[in-house]
Structures are given as C-alpha cells and as structure tokens.
Amino acid sequence: MPDIRVAVDAGGTFTDVCIYNSSTQEFRVTKVPSTPNNPMQAVINGVRRGEIELADVDLFFHGTTVATNALITRRFPKASLVTTKGFRDVIEIRDGTKDNLWDAYADVSGPYIRRRDRFEVTERVDYAGEIVTPLNEQEARELARKLKRRGTTTIAVCFMNSYANAHNEQRMRQILEEEIPGANVSTSSEILPEIFEHDRFNTAVANTVLGPLVSDYVKQLDDELTAGGYVNDLLLLHSGGGSMTPAMAKHFPVRLAASGIAAGAIAAKHIAEQCGYQNAVGLDMGGTSTDISLIHDGELRVTKQWGVEYGHPIVFPSIEVLTIGAGGGSLAHIDIAGALRNGPQSAGADPGPACYERGGMEPTNTDANIALNRLGTSLAGGALELNRDKAIDAIKDKIGQPLSLETAEAAQAILKVANANMADAVRLVSIRRGLDPRDFALIAFGGAGALHGAEVARELGIPAVIIPPNPGVTSAMGCLLVDIQHDLSMMYTASADSADTNDLEHQFCGLEKEAADRLRHENVADEDVVLQRGISMRYQGQWRSLQVPMNNSAHSLKDAMETFHQEHERQFSFRQDTQPVEIYQLHLRAIGKTPKPSFTPFEKIVGVTVESHAQRDVFFDGQWHATPIYQRETLPPGFELAGPAIIDQLDSTTVVPPNTTAFIDEWKNIRIQIIATGERA
C-alpha cells in the first residue's frame, strides 16, 4: 500500500493541497477556491480534485483558518464568563494601552464576551495560593441555574490567582457541569496557569468561545475523512509550529488561531536550510494578506504573547509572524487626500478581483498584474479563467482617470504601493531589531509571492530571492514538516542562587507526566516522545522575563543562568552578572515525532538550454518589454536565464524582472539574483 501523506492549507482565497508519496518521493499539488461559508467543503473539494484515495493516506495534516476567522468576525456561540467578585471588567479594562497611542478616536475593540454575560461569585485565593475565602457554593449554584435558564452552555471560569491554587475554579466548574448537563466549561487554571489576570482571562475566554465552533468543524471533517477511508488521526497545525489531534483541539481550540500562518514560516525555514542560508525572510503572499516571518541564525522567532486583534492577548507560544493586508485581492483605492492606497481591504474569494467576473468592480493587485501581462488569463490549472479587459476597465475607471495616468502606469503604481507596504513590514521585523535585510535572503511564496518577490527584494536591497518549487502550496508543504507538539508551563518564583534543585526537578517531572499523558492520549509511541525543558528568568526587580533552555544535568540551573546573561545581553545590549537572578516560570515543550518527507537533490545539468513556449509584451519600469514565457515543469536544475522572463506553473507565476538573473538549483528552487543599480546584467 502506498505511503501517502496529504497536507491541506485553507487560505482566505484558495485552499492548497500537497500530496507526497514517500515510496517514490513524488510531490503532487493542487488548489481549489476556498469556501468561506463552509471551509470543510473546500478541503473535500481539494481531496477530490487531487484524486486522493483516502484509504491509501498514512497521515493527513490540516492548517485551518476557522479559529482565526471566528475571532476576526466574532461569529461564535453565545458565551458567559464567571469570575471573582470585583473582577468582572478585567477583560474590558485590559492593560490600558492602545494600538495607536495618538489616535484619540480609535478605540480597542470590545471583549469577546459582553458585560451583560459576565458574572461574579464570592471567592478569593491570595498570591501564595492560600484560600482566603472559600467559594460560596450557594451563589455558584444560583448562578449556574440562571445560566441554564438563559440557555448558556459555553462558559469560561476565570478566578483571581487560580494559577496558584485551582481548587475554587475546579469546584465552580463541577457545579456548572452538574446544573447544566453538556455544558462546555473552560477554566483559566487549566488553559493557562500563569500570573497576569488579563492575559490569562483573555486566553481562557478565547479558548471558550472557539470551543463549540472548532469542535464541530474538526469532528465533521474527521468524520468525512473517516467515511472516505482514512483510518488515522487528523493532525491539525497550531500556532506554535506543531500539530495536535482532534482530541486535543477540543480542549485547546485557541491554539488553532493562526494555524496556517505558522505552516508557511516552517516551510520558509526548511527552504532556507536547504539553500544554505542562516538568515532569511519568509514572504507568504496569498489572496488576502501577506505573512512575514524571520529566520535568524537558523531559528524562527517565537513570541509568547500575540493576538488576532490588538488588546486581546493569546498567551501561548507562537511562531512570530507579521501579517499585513497585502494580497492578490487587496483593493487599490484613492483616499480622501487623493493619495493612492493599497489594502488592507480585500476582494477575497467572492466576489474577488474584477478579472474574476464575479461582481467585483474595484481594482486589485491581481487586476494590476494581469493588466501588465505579468499574469496569464488562467489560474489553478484552468480552474479559474480571468478576464483581462475587466481588469483594465476597473483600473482605468477607479485609478487611472482620477490620477490622470495611463492604464499601464496606474497598474504599475498599484503594484509599487503594494510592494512598498510589504517592504515596510519586512523592515519592522528586521531593522527594528538591529538586523540588516541586506544580510538576508528573501523566500517568496504563496499564490502571489513569486509575482512580487523580486521587486520587494530590490526595494529592501536584498540580493537573493528564492522561489520554492510549488510556491502556491508551500504553506501546505510546511504542514508535512511538523511534529505533534504541546507547550506546558507553570509559575515558579524563587531566587536562582538559592533555589531548591530537588523541588525544581519535582515540578519539571510533574509537567513531564502531564505531557506524557497528552501524547499517550494521541497514540504517540514512547520512543517518539521528546521533552524539552525551559526556564524563564529575570533580574531581581524586573517584571519582564526571558525564557532559556534548561537541560537535565546536575549543573542545569547554573548553565541556564549563564545562558540567561548571554541572551539578555544579545536582546537588550547589557548584562548584570552581579545582580541576583530570579526564576519566574517553568516551561516544557512536548514533541511527538511524526514521519517527515525525505528530499533528495537533483543533478544539475550544466549549460542546458530550454526554449520558451511563448512570448508576450510585459510592462516593466515604464515601458513594454518583449518577454519570454516559460513553463516551470520544463526547466531542469542548472538552467539559467536573464530577466525579463515569466515562469508559469499550476499554483503560481514567477516574475523575473529586468536587471536580474535566475537559475534553477538542485532542489528545483528558482533563485533570482538582484543586480545592484549601476551594474550590468
């Protein structure tokens, strides 16, 4: 029986499918339009279009936007919050900050649970975990019955200091489940046993409101795949760069927020390693947005606090990705000051760009590319035919005439604004951290990344651009490269110099037992389990902490302290070896290894020539150029060309502009070299 692995990444415009046969090391890809009203349908459509026999599939991976979209649109079931008396408004008061400090009229969006649905009970635990006031069970039962009368079955329980002692929270949960059979109850001490009530409360609330929605989606998809003959667990990619089974997704659905975004970053890291780059920027440009990731010294950056919306933190480790509203469907428009803007509004999959002929009337980046002949009139292997005349009309009416520009000039201006937006985002993740983009390679992928990659790189002074073999489904390929992974943590405050190492070991063992139970529940064999310890430390008197690795040796704490000093100096440019160091938190990453694709390099053919299969006039730098059109499947490793050129394939189109050269490497990547101003091609 063939050993087939399938990865499906559901995006805002297209759903991408990557099929890998480990017996033959053959990759197949396909893509279908996304179905926003029923995301599962696009997954099933992709399986059918890819002619996948589910009975032959060994592993099925899925990166989904269901959780992310639910938080953005706030289309989730009615939910309630139960909290300690006096703390009803923690998630609304937040931390008092704003995304734009100087905009007096822009308010942070409201909490996921409205005030009318937030309730208080009498209880209190102090900072050390001592129960000062036991839970008033009469109040608790009366509240539970009230919620039952209101028809509320989705409830978050968030008590003050429950991270130090979860007894009152657990008892409240028991009462709710006794009074409301079938209730979906999440407790903050189970979801995130950490200090800082706003972060903990909001993470638990997000987890709660997503619970029914994600559980239903995952169950339906799992049932559909099982009915088709798939016999193993569906593996769902989460924001931390690992995967989880439906059983764990039911308990921690908030981890699926930013699911597909992480897949692209993982794929970018893999491609950078293949090509010998320790520093790289991942530019994942899809139909709706662009996701930018940073690989520095061979590692992806990970953040502990992030959110789908500002002011609503989700405190689980997540691969750090900056998302901006720049995609193939981003709308070009003129603002009230008469300036040309691009995004963040998007035409999405429906109605889509004007050239889709589905009712869209506003020009998009896709319309600009097709108007300039950089993009052909057929997408996704003929699944979508584009109307160039509709694109030209939209650009002429909405941008060209108001700005007194010829249509080609207007289309080029649209793309320049989009490229400038993406370049600015790359500067945010690199220059502000003291990193020079010119020391990086740019890995451009996503359905539109290969169209824009070379010009974004030129804007930033990046000398090399890498286009993966299947840029449009690279994020889906990233799903094949992940393991099952859980991230556990607990508060632990002590002086590092005088900490009880036996107690420290005991606490880590407790985390490891919980991790082992989770992985065992997901049918991970003991020999495939990897446990990685970490510890957060800070200089005494600080409140911000740094997480560093911790090994199992006798000198592990001493080694961790030295690593902390080094990391503090690297991140903040100073260290204080004489200042006492305080332990703040313990961490454990639990990994269940899954089989990975094996990649074998191809032999490069020196001096090979390939004739272009067509030629058309393409607009670059203010004029039309006679440009050869190549089919990517016909280009062998070792083939070289000079821009301008267009390279078509099923899932994307690569633009090689003038004053660049390109070659196909041994991994079948297209590597574009940017020729600096003043040099000659």
Side-chain angles (χ1 to χ4, degrees):
M1 183 178 292
D3 184 7
I4 305 293
R5 296 169 208 162
V6 176
V8 179
D9 178 47
T13 306
F14 284 103
T15 293
D16 305 324
V17 183
C18 183
I19 307 143
Y20 174 70
N21 187 324
S22 62
S23 302
T24 62
Q25 295 189 19
E26 175 192 5
F27 268 102
R28 289 193 296 119
V29 300
T30 190
K31 60 196 305 164
V32 295
S34 293
T35 50
N37 293 330
N38 182 9
M40 185 188 74
Q41 189 57 52
V43 177
I44 301 303
N45 292 345
V47 169
R48 290 172 182 161
R49 184 174 176 83
E51 299 179 349
I52 299 167
E53 290 293 336
L54 289 171
D56 294 341
V57 175
D58 184 45
L59 290 173
F60 196 108
F61 297 85
H62 181 32
T64 175
T65 56
V66 167
T68 309
N69 291 342
L71 292 177
I72 292 172
T73 62
R74 302 194 172 215
R75 293 176 182 169
F76 33 65
K78 179 181 177 181
S80 291
L81 168 68
V82 180
T83 188
T84 306
K85 191 175 290 294
F87 291 90
R88 178 185 183 188
D89 295 318
V90 163
I91 61 174
E92 191 149 8
I93 296 171
R94 303 183 317 278
D95 56 5
T97 63
K98 297 174 67 172
D99 192 18
N100 187 344
L101 182 64
W102 307 110
D103 190 341
Y105 298 98
D107 292 324
V108 177
S109 59
Y112 296 135
I113 297 179
R114 298 172 299 178
R115 195 172 196 271
R116 72 184 73 170
D117 297 316
R118 304 197 297 262
F119 303 92
E120 300 176 343
V121 293
T122 301
E123 73 84 36
R124 196 58 186 264
V125 173
D126 70 9
Y127 73 96
E130 295 294 327
I131 297 178
V132 178
T133 306
L135 174 67
N136 186 320
E137 297 203 5
Q138 182 179 350
E139 272 187 32
R141 287 200 180 275
E142 288 175 358
L143 175 56
R145 290 165 185 160
K146 180 178 180 178
L147 292 174
K148 184 179 181 180
R149 291 194 299 271
R150 289 165 60 109
T152 303
T153 57
T154 302
I155 307 159
V157 181
C158 303
F159 288 170
M160 279 299 297
N161 295 328
S162 61
Y163 70 91
N165 185 339
H167 178 270
N168 285 355
E169 264 196 2
Q170 291 170 351
R171 182 58 187 145
M172 184 71 227
R173 177 180 189 155
Q174 290 170 359
I175 291 171
L176 288 167
E177 291 174 342
E178 289 168 6
E179 298 291 339
I180 312 174
N184 173 36
V185 183
S186 290
T187 64
S188 69
S189 57
E190 176 192 20
I191 303 303
L192 190 74
E194 297 184 12
I195 199 171
F196 296 127
E197 60 272 13
H198 174 231
D199 295 348
R200 177 162 49 87
F201 283 22
N202 200 82
T203 302
V205 164
N207 194 79
T208 301
V209 298
L210 289 174
L213 182 73
V214 169
S215 294
D216 288 348
Y217 172 77
V218 170
K219 184 179 185 304
Q220 290 175 20
L221 179 57
D222 200 26
D223 289 347
E224 192 79 20
L225 295 175
T226 300
Y230 180 59
V231 297
N232 293 320
D233 274 325
L234 169 66
L235 295 177
L236 300 148
L237 190 78
H238 62 66
S239 58
S243 62
M244 60 201 306
T245 63
M248 283 296 111
K250 181 179 179 180
H251 292 292
F252 301 100
V254 72
R255 298 227 65 186
L256 296 184
S259 166
I261 295 174
I266 291 165
K269 177 177 180 289
H270 169 77
I271 293 162
E273 289 173 349
Q274 269 190 343
C275 298
Y277 287 97
Q278 288 289 298
N279 298 333
V281 174
L283 185 83
D284 181 2
M285 185 179 182
T288 306
S289 61
T290 295
D291 303 317
I292 296 167
S293 54
L294 187 78
I295 300 104
H296 182 238
D297 289 339
E299 295 295 332
L300 283 162
R301 289 189 63 89
V302 175
T303 181
K304 186 72 189 296
Q305 186 180 92
W306 56 285
V308 174
E309 292 181 273
Y310 184 85
H312 305 284
I314 296 173
V315 188
F316 275 117
S318 173
I319 292 175
E320 190 175 60
V321 177
L322 177 61
T323 300
I324 64 170
S330 293
L331 299 175
H333 58 280
I334 298 171
D335 67 14
I336 58 174
L340 177 60
R341 301 288 183 183
N342 193 297
Q345 301 86 357
S346 173
D350 188 13
C355 59
Y356 278 21
E357 293 188 283
R358 293 178 179 171
M361 303 297 292
E362 303 296 320
T364 66
N365 291 328
T366 298
D367 294 311
N369 276 306
I370 195 172
L372 299 179
N373 265 341
R374 299 184 183 189
L375 192 62
T377 56
S378 180
L379 285 185
L384 191 61
E385 294 295 328
L386 308 181
N387 187 320
R388 185 167 181 263
D389 292 336
K390 291 283 187 183
I392 290 172
D393 289 343
I395 293 168
K396 180 180 178 182
D397 293 343
K398 303 294 183 179
I399 306 297
Q401 290 180 349
L403 295 179
S404 301
L405 295 173
E406 295 293 329
T407 301
E409 294 173 333
Q412 183 171 260
I414 290 170
L415 297 185
K416 282 186 174 181
V417 173
N419 293 337
N421 289 342
M422 287 183 279
D424 284 344
V426 173
R427 292 185 183 103
L428 280 177
V429 300
S430 57
I431 293 175
R432 74 173 180 180
R433 295 194 176 101
L435 303 172
D436 189 339
R438 293 173 295 183
D439 297 331
F440 287 67
L442 183 72
I443 301 171
F445 57 100
L451 280 164
H452 293 254
E455 292 188 343
V456 172
R458 190 186 297 282
E459 179 95 7
L460 291 161
I462 292 176
V465 180
I466 302 169
I467 312 294
N470 300 107
V473 297
T474 296
S475 288
M477 186 196 77
C479 294
L480 296 174
L481 303 171
V482 302
D483 294 307
I484 293 175
Q485 179 184 307
H486 298 287
D487 297 281
L488 290 77
S489 65
M490 66 172 290
M491 300 305 301
Y492 189 94
T493 306
S495 172
D497 289 327
S498 58
D500 184 340
T501 54
N502 291 329
D503 183 57
L504 205 58
E505 180 66 21
H506 174 73
Q507 300 301 335
F508 270 120
C509 288
L511 290 176
E512 289 173 348
K513 182 181 182 304
E514 182 182 348
D517 289 343
R518 288 191 190 183
L519 293 174
R520 198 173 295 115
H521 186 61
E522 295 180 302
N523 299 316
V524 176
D526 290 345
E527 61 270 20
D528 292 330
V529 173
V530 177
L531 302 176
Q532 299 172 346
R533 295 180 178 184
I535 187 167
S536 287
M537 295 178 165
R538 59 190 179 187
Y539 290 121
Q540 200 170 68
Q542 290 184 335
W543 70 276
R544 294 188 183 276
S545 61
L546 282 176
Q547 181 182 335
V548 296
M550 186 167 177
N551 55 46
N552 294 31
S553 71
H555 303 289
S556 57
L557 187 55
K558 184 178 179 181
D559 294 341
M561 288 174 64
E562 178 55 31
T563 305
F564 165 75
H565 288 302
Q566 294 172 359
E567 184 66 15
H568 199 280
E569 183 175 30
R570 191 182 76 82
Q571 290 205 29
F572 304 113
S573 301
F574 76 96
R575 58 188 288 168
Q576 294 177 306
D577 294 59
T578 58
Q579 179 77 3
V581 174
E582 185 178 44
I583 299 171
Y584 172 71
Q585 205 170 29
L586 308 183
H587 306 271
L588 184 73
R589 173 168 291 178
I591 297 171
K593 292 184 177 180
T594 59
K596 307 290 187 308
S598 57
F599 299 90
T600 303
F602 295 87
E603 182 180 351
K604 290 198 288 188
I605 305 172
V606 180
V608 64
T609 59
V610 177
E611 293 295 324
S612 60
H613 70 85
Q615 180 173 296
R616 64 174 179 256
D617 290 337
V618 181
F619 198 81
F620 293 105
D621 302 323
Q623 58 183 320
W624 295 94
H625 294 255
T627 303
I629 313 298
Y630 295 92
Q631 199 63 35
R632 185 160 185 178
E633 293 77 13
T634 67
L635 305 182
F639 176 69
E640 299 179 0
L641 59 88
I646 302 292
I647 303 174
D648 282 332
Q649 62 188 105
L650 168 72
D651 56 317
S652 188
T653 295
T654 300
V655 170
V656 184
N659 294 315
T660 66
T661 61
F663 69 94
I664 312 299
D665 70 11
E666 65 270 30
W667 305 103
K668 292 193 174 181
N669 299 305
I670 300 173
R671 298 214 207 176
I672 302 173
Q673 304 295 320
I674 309 297
I675 299 171
T677 303
E679 295 182 10
R680 297 183 62 184

